[in-house]
Structure formats: structure tokens, C-alpha cells
Amino acid sequence: MSDLLAPGAELEHLSTGTRWAEGPVWLPGLRAVRWSDIPNDRIMQLDAASGETTVYRDGVEFTNGRTLDLDGTVVQCSHGLRRVERDADGVVTPLVDRWEGGRFNSPNDVVVASDGAVWFTDPPYGLSEVEGHPGEQEYGGCFVFRYEPSSGVATPVITDRIRPNGLAFSPDESLLYVSDTGWSDERGEPSRIHVYAVGDGTASAGREFVIPAGVPDGLRVDEAGRVWTSSGESVQVFSAEAEELLTIPVPERTSNVCFGGDDGRDLYITATTSLYRIRTAVTAAAAAPP
Ligand code: MG
């Protein structure tokens, strides 16, 4: 048993019934986990105390990844509306949907930095019947963008990925990890995670970080800078030095993870039809001080 997990920790199966579960986030105020069921165009929510899963909203324009803003409101990606948006207690408002006149492809996953900037990936998976609406790629790439709320402008920060997908900062925000599922899709090679140096709102010096055992989609970083990533039918944990530390087998293909629970030590895992949880001995990286 790894010391990254609580003693005796076992994978719990909490909820089922989705077609492709993605985009989990812990909502401290509600003590709930919210996640997307993308093909069914709805958002699910599990109340941690009762264990009850409900449909939070349906007809949501195919939301995908989500995170919390600095003020605790939900920021989420919309495949259908090709934008990043805010959900404040059910009131959904757009943040940004284009760069230099071209609409985004279908924002996939999102993180908020300690300066309030919103970083998100933009592969084209939502330009399809199943996960959004068919459409054209308008700016001709699949970039990672940084959206600055004060200016209302999104700027490309990473342009050399094939299909940038999940993303997460290191605890001090000096590094940004980006999974790239384009290796599997476009090249028939194992997908991988890249890491970039970050500073002054830019990213540079990207390099390959790890090739997990299975396809990496969403990922999170813990307090010690370890990377917890979806990896096919497992969750894998890597040190900041890319050393493989732990593999948690999951009975279905995983898409994403998030830390939650009252002490932040529960790892929630979205995996195809289901939501799983395992008790850990660590917590998520806290936002760096502004
Ligand atoms: Mg994703």
C-alpha cells in the first residue's frame, strides 16, 4: 500500500449512469462533487453526506471540464457554445468564446491561476454530434489559452500541442502540466503529458514529462507537486521528477480526477459511466498567494 493513500483505502463506486463522465470539481460550500456527462448533455452532482446523485442541470450545451474561480464560483468549459463560462449558483454567463475573431474549437479543461487568469485547453472534440455540435475549426490550431478577466482578452500561451486536453499548475505555479491526447488520435502512439515553464502569463520551454500506461486526460497536482492523472483504466501518480509512484486500477476508462472532501483528501475519479472515490493521505495543491 502506498503512503500516498490512507491506510486501508479502497476504491469506492459512488454513482453510475453516465455515458462519458468528465470535469469533476469539489464544491466546498455544498459538500458536493459536480461533473459532466458530456454525451447526455447534462451535469451531475453527488452530495457527499447522503451519497445521493442528482442531475444538477440538463440541456447544458455539453459542458466538459470545470474548476473553481478565486471567489469560489464554478468556471467551466462548454463544447456546444465553444466557450468558457461561469456558473454562479445556476446563473450561467459567458467569459470568452474567441481569439482574434475566430471562435474556439471546444474548450476542454480549465484552471484558474492565483492572479485570476483562466487557462484552458482547446482541442476539437466537441465539434461532433456526440459531444457537441459539428463545426469547423476557425483559428486553425489547438492551443492552450490564457484569458485575463480584467482585459477580457484571451491569448494563446501554448501552440505546439496536437490535442491539448487536461492541465494543472505546480503548487508554486512555475510549471504547467498539459496532457496531449493527439498522440493516440493522430499518430497512433501513446498519449503523453508535457510540462512547460510558466512566468508572467506566458509558458515556454515545453518538454515531455511522462508517457503514462494509459491515455492521460484530466489531471491534478497535489501539495507536494505530484501529478495525479487519469491513465486509461487507472489513475497514476508521478513525482515532479517524473518518477512513477502509484497506480490505482479502476474498472472503467478514467477521464479526470479532483481532490475533495472536508479535509481535501478524497480523490474523486470520473470514469466513463461512473464516479469513484478513494481516500488519500495528501491534498490538492493550494493556490499560490497572489
Ligand atoms: Mg479532457
Side-chain angles (χ1 to χ4, degrees):
M1 179 66 73
S2 166
D3 58 8
L4 298 177
L5 297 178
E10 290 185 6
L11 189 71
E12 300 172 83
H13 187 207
L14 301 176
S15 177
T16 191
T18 55
R19 277 177 68 192
W20 182 243
E22 242 284 18
V25 75
W26 173 255
L27 307 172
L30 297 176
R31 302 183 66 230
V33 183
R34 183 178 296 174
W35 72 101
S36 298
D37 178 4
I38 303 176
N40 284 325
D41 194 19
R42 59 185 183 167
I43 300 172
M44 314 301 290
Q45 194 159 292
L46 173 107
D47 180 86
S50 69
E52 185 186 356
T53 296
T54 54
V55 177
Y56 168 68
R57 291 284 189 279
D58 58 14
V60 294
E61 285 294 348
F62 305 92
T63 65
N64 190 338
R66 55 178 53 75
T67 192
L68 295 184
D69 204 345
L70 299 184
D71 65 5
T73 59
V74 172
V75 172
Q76 63 193 17
C77 297
S78 169
H79 281 183
L81 296 173
R82 305 175 68 157
R83 72 184 189 186
V84 179
E85 61 191 23
R86 179 188 306 280
D87 179 336
D89 296 326
V91 179
V92 178
T93 51
L95 290 181
V96 63
D97 69 351
R98 65 193 60 227
W99 170 59
E100 291 192 342
R103 286 186 298 167
F104 299 136
N105 303 317
S106 52
N108 189 289
D109 217 338
V110 58
V111 290
V112 174
S114 57
D115 65 356
V118 179
W119 297 58
F120 60 95
T121 58
D122 190 35
Y125 297 118
L127 301 178
S128 70
E129 292 281 3
V130 175
E131 294 207 357
H133 306 295
E136 300 297 319
Q137 293 183 230
E138 295 189 1
Y139 65 85
C142 293
F143 298 163
V144 179
F145 289 94
R146 177 182 182 270
Y147 167 71
E148 197 169 69
S150 57
S151 67
V153 171
T155 307
V157 281
I158 294 173
T159 59
D160 64 350
R161 292 295 94 233
I162 313 169
R163 296 282 185 269
N165 199 321
L167 77 173
F169 286 109
S170 63
D172 65 359
E173 296 185 1
S174 67
L175 301 172
L176 181 70
Y177 297 93
V178 181
S179 70
D180 184 348
T181 40
W183 294 79
S184 307
D185 295 349
E186 306 293 310
R187 302 186 180 184
E189 296 178 38
S191 285
R192 51 206 67 191
I193 299 172
H194 285 248
V195 62
Y196 292 80
V198 172
D200 295 329
T202 65
S204 60
R207 61 180 167 81
E208 188 175 297
F209 174 62
V210 293
I211 302 178
V215 173
D217 190 337
L219 51 90
R220 305 278 179 167
V221 174
D222 74 18
E223 56 195 331
R226 292 173 289 244
V227 177
W228 297 62
T229 182
S230 53
S231 174
E233 292 189 344
S234 73
V235 170
Q236 287 193 290
V237 186
F238 296 91
S239 72
E241 293 73 39
E243 177 191 3
E244 186 183 328
L245 302 175
L246 174 66
T247 296
I248 304 167
V250 178
E252 303 179 69
R253 182 174 166 184
T254 61
S255 64
N256 213 330
V257 298
C258 73
F259 288 96
D262 290 340
D263 63 1
R265 296 187 173 206
D266 291 325
L267 185 77
Y268 287 91
I269 303 163
T270 46
T272 315
T273 71
S274 300
L275 181 74
Y276 295 86
R277 176 173 63 198
I278 193 163
R279 185 82 181 139
T280 79
V282 306
T283 64

